[in-house]
Structure formats: C-alpha cells, structure tokens
Amino acid sequence: MENAQRITWVIGDIEGFYIDFNTQTIGFGSKETHLEFLQSQLLFYMLTIPSGYVTIREISDSPELFSINLSKYISEIKKKSLNLVQPSF
C-alpha cells in the first residue's frame, strides 16, 4: 500500500468518519477500531479501483488478496463500520 493516506468524510450524516490506512484504523467521533492487515488492504483496493466494483477474479489477481474470502472480509469491514456509526443515528 504505497502512499497510504487517511480519508475523512467532511459532509453528510457520517461527517467525521475516517479510514486511516497508515494505522489500519477506522473511526467516528471519539471511537476507533482496528482493521486487520488484509481488511485494510481490501478496503484500500476497493476504494482505488476505477470501476468501483470488485469481483473475485479481480481480487485473485492481487498478490496480497488472492487467498481471502471476499464476502467474509467485506462483511467484517461493514460490521466494524456500522458499530462505529450506528449509535449516532
């Protein structure tokens, strides 16, 4: 993950939500949670592909991600993200 950065939402209902690829964390408000290395890699990959749509075939072409269970990893990222923002709604 070269030149990894931090992405922060600046408008909308989840203003302040962030993804920090350097520290492998996501956060919202005063709460923060850690992402596993491959979860962080997958999230970075998904956010940087031009089409915005990820298939298992595309993941298998990535040397870091070829062996992951795509649906499981997406589900875990989603669960961690929702646990951060859900109490605010």
Side-chain angles (χ1 to χ4, degrees):
M1 197 176 340
E2 299 152 12
N3 297 326
Q5 302 267 337
R6 179 178 167 139
I7 299 172
T8 304
W9 277 246
V10 294
I11 59 172
D13 291 336
I14 59 169
E15 181 178 347
F17 180 83
Y18 65 88
I19 304 168
D20 190 330
F21 294 104
N22 292 323
T23 60
Q24 294 174 216
T25 57
I26 55 175
F28 183 68
S30 61
K31 295 191 293 183
E32 183 176 88
T33 190
H34 182 75
L35 296 173
E36 295 175 15
F37 176 75
L38 288 177
Q39 289 173 338
S40 181
Q41 290 284 322
L42 175 61
L43 191 53
F44 183 79
Y45 180 82
M46 290 172 34
L47 290 170
T48 57
I49 59 170
S51 68
Y53 182 77
V54 179
T55 65
I56 293 174
R57 175 175 280 181
E58 290 168 327
I59 293 296
S60 65
D61 292 339
S62 172
E64 297 92 11
L65 303 172
F66 74 94
S67 66
I68 69 167
N69 179 334
L70 184 61
S71 62
K72 177 184 171 192
Y73 274 71
I74 290 174
S75 177
E76 285 297 315
I77 293 168
K78 180 179 158 183
K79 181 179 173 184
K80 287 180 178 185
S81 299
L82 286 174
N83 284 338
L84 290 171
V85 299
Q86 212 165 24
S88 299
F89 294 104

